[in-house]
Amino acid sequence: MPIDFQHSLPSSARSVSSDHSGQQPPPVERAGIGVVDRLEAIESVSRKTRIQADRFLNVAKRGLPRMHRRGAFVHTLRAVNLDSNWTERLEGDSLRYTAIAALGLSYADRATQQQVLDGDTAFDLAHACAVRATTSADMGAIALSAWAAAEAGRFHSLPLFRQLVQILASDAPVATVDCAWALSAGLAARQFGDTQDVVSLATTRLMSARSPAGLFPHMLPASASGRFRAHIGCFADQVYPIQALSRLYAAQSNTEALSAAEVCAERICALQGPGGQWWWHYDTRNGVVVEGYPVYSVHQHAMAPMALLDLREAGGTDHSQAIIRGMYWLDDHPEVSTPLVASEKGVIWRKVARREPRKLVRAVSAVTTSLLPGLHVPGLDTLFPPIRVDYECRPYELGWLMYAWLSGGVVAQLAPNPAGDMPAVFKEI
């Protein structure tokens, strides 16, 4: 029997639509949302990519139950060698990853949700995340939990948005990724409560941090990363702002936000590797790659498709070919011959990285390019080749995979409808 997390919330955090009956609301009819939209769209361009996406979704459905325990998700599943026998070990616990899993699972059918969550649903999981996040000091976990509360749990968590306003209104540096998540959360929850302060503060922080090349730094402000890293933005620092700013345009017709998302997306697509690799570190000053490795599987199958499909759905450029190239890399990666997709285990191994001590190449490249843009020590590719597979898989990777491919329509439904300012999605609740 699903746990009634609704009544475990403070009254200010409960859904504005709750009837306090202790029962979940009826399933929402998400018109136009589901498997067919994004999967059929990519199939019209590449049948092979559609087959890949279906296969990877089945991997996620098989793997997520392995990573779920006691109403939450672990931090990682790691392959380990015990007495000359390889097995997998679960490690840690992550509120961030649990919230992301709730978002992804909310677009799966109810039977899949219950199979993954031991009888519970994404609705239950989102409410549980909101409760946990009220005592968290992690802005990323707070933002993701507020987002999941709105989109999967269907309510506005006032305590979480108060925390986000307090953080964003302060002078404290914030991570770009966390800020983008806060913006996405505010847009998702505005149908249930007032989130304008979060939306406005997060937008200002993101837009003011854009570099002349259109890329985003790792921290806001960039100087918070320190002298030798202030110029660097990682792949995640580009993807989540593209997603959030695309949604902002859909919700408020903010053309400046769409332009920022377009420029950033165009740049990372132009820099995509010859094998479809989404590279890791960028120089925000001139928009070139600082260091390409590791190449993360989640970037290929989930995060890049998620952001670029959101951009297209908002009315922006169609980057389907870049998505297709990125997906191909998972099955045909030139760096190693080792398969990255282990369907029978329900995992996609985390990354292909250099054989290097303590992230040496990234550190050296950060320092040299900070001194002179484009300056690299010669011979690093030969000395430290990218031939190491990280035999690890994290639940957020599979959660974003489901979200990327199953959430078609969510961006379009952020737009105000003709009857007023309430988005069409969940209007009947």
Side-chain angles (χ1 to χ4, degrees), residues 60-147:
K61 293 174 184 178
R62 189 176 298 116
L64 281 173
R66 301 188 62 198
M67 304 179 193
H68 176 258
R69 57 186 182 187
R70 298 185 293 276
F73 281 86
V74 300
H75 182 269
T76 193
L77 178 152
R78 188 186 308 277
V80 292
N81 192 340
L82 298 176
D83 299 326
S84 300
N85 292 314
W86 284 95
T87 186
E88 291 82 44
R89 180 176 67 205
L90 300 180
E91 299 177 0
D93 171 80
S94 174
L95 177 54
R96 286 188 178 208
Y97 297 175
T98 301
I100 292 171
L103 282 165
L105 284 166
S106 71
Y107 290 91
D109 60 84
R110 187 180 183 88
T112 296
Q113 294 179 35
Q114 292 178 319
Q115 185 263 331
V116 171
L117 300 174
D118 296 327
D120 286 345
T121 65
F123 176 95
D124 300 315
L125 191 61
H127 281 251
C129 287
V131 174
R132 288 183 60 188
T134 57
T135 60
S136 176
D138 177 358
M139 180 184 173
I142 295 166
L144 285 167
S145 296
W147 182 1

Side-chain angles (χ1 to χ4, degrees), residues 186-425:
L187 295 170
R190 71 192 186 106
Q191 59 196 298
F192 301 122
D194 183 5
T195 62
Q196 185 52 46
D197 284 348
V198 164
V199 170
S200 177
L201 289 166
T203 300
T204 298
R205 286 247 192 172
L206 282 176
M207 294 297 287
S208 64
R210 292 177 63 217
S211 74
L215 300 182
F216 293 87
H218 186 61
M219 296 294 295
L220 309 176
S223 59
S225 293
R227 176 186 175 188
F228 296 118
R229 288 182 57 86
H231 64 296
I232 290 177
C234 71
F235 184 74
D237 298 325
Q238 317 314 317
V239 165
Y240 294 116
I242 292 170
Q243 178 181 41
L245 294 172
S246 298
R247 291 176 176 220
L248 182 62
Y249 173 73
Q252 298 184 358
S253 299
N254 186 322
T255 55
E256 187 178 1
L258 179 63
S259 176
E262 286 273 31
V263 171
C264 187
E266 180 64 31
R267 193 66 199 139
I268 64 170
C269 287
L271 294 171
Q272 191 177 21
Q277 301 95 333
W278 294 109
W279 300 125
W280 182 218
H281 280 171
Y282 304 93
D283 191 326
T284 60
R285 300 167 301 181
N286 56 6
V288 302
V289 175
V290 170
E291 164 58 359
Y293 292 94
V295 174
Y296 288 85
S297 295
V298 66
H299 297 170
Q300 309 292 135
H301 65 64
M303 287 167 55
M306 177 173 68
L308 297 177
L309 290 170
D310 273 18
L311 174 62
R312 186 187 66 178
E313 192 169 305
T317 301
D318 183 351
H319 292 286
S320 293
Q321 291 302 320
I323 293 172
I324 291 167
R325 289 193 296 271
M327 291 282 282
Y328 281 4
W329 180 86
L330 289 157
D331 287 331
D332 189 18
H333 30 276
E335 296 88 352
V336 295
S337 59
T338 306
L340 297 178
V341 182
S343 299
E344 73 286 354
K345 296 179 181 294
V347 301
I348 301 175
W349 298 122
R350 182 165 169 77
K351 65 179 182 278
V352 172
R354 292 187 186 278
R355 188 187 61 195
E356 61 180 331
R358 298 186 179 183
K359 304 176 183 178
L360 175 65
V361 174
R362 277 174 280 178
V364 170
S365 296
V367 171
T368 57
T369 55
S370 72
L371 299 173
L372 181 66
L375 178 62
H376 290 276
V377 175
L380 290 178
D381 287 339
T382 302
L383 290 172
F384 307 105
I387 58 173
R388 184 174 64 84
V389 174
D390 183 358
Y391 292 101
E392 179 184 357
C393 185
R394 300 185 181 184
Y396 88 90
E397 300 166 7
L398 305 182
W400 277 151
L401 168 60
M402 297 185 79
Y403 193 88
W405 292 103
L406 302 183
S407 67
V410 66
V411 177
Q413 294 195 32
L414 289 171
N417 65 36
D421 195 39
M422 180 182 289
V425 67

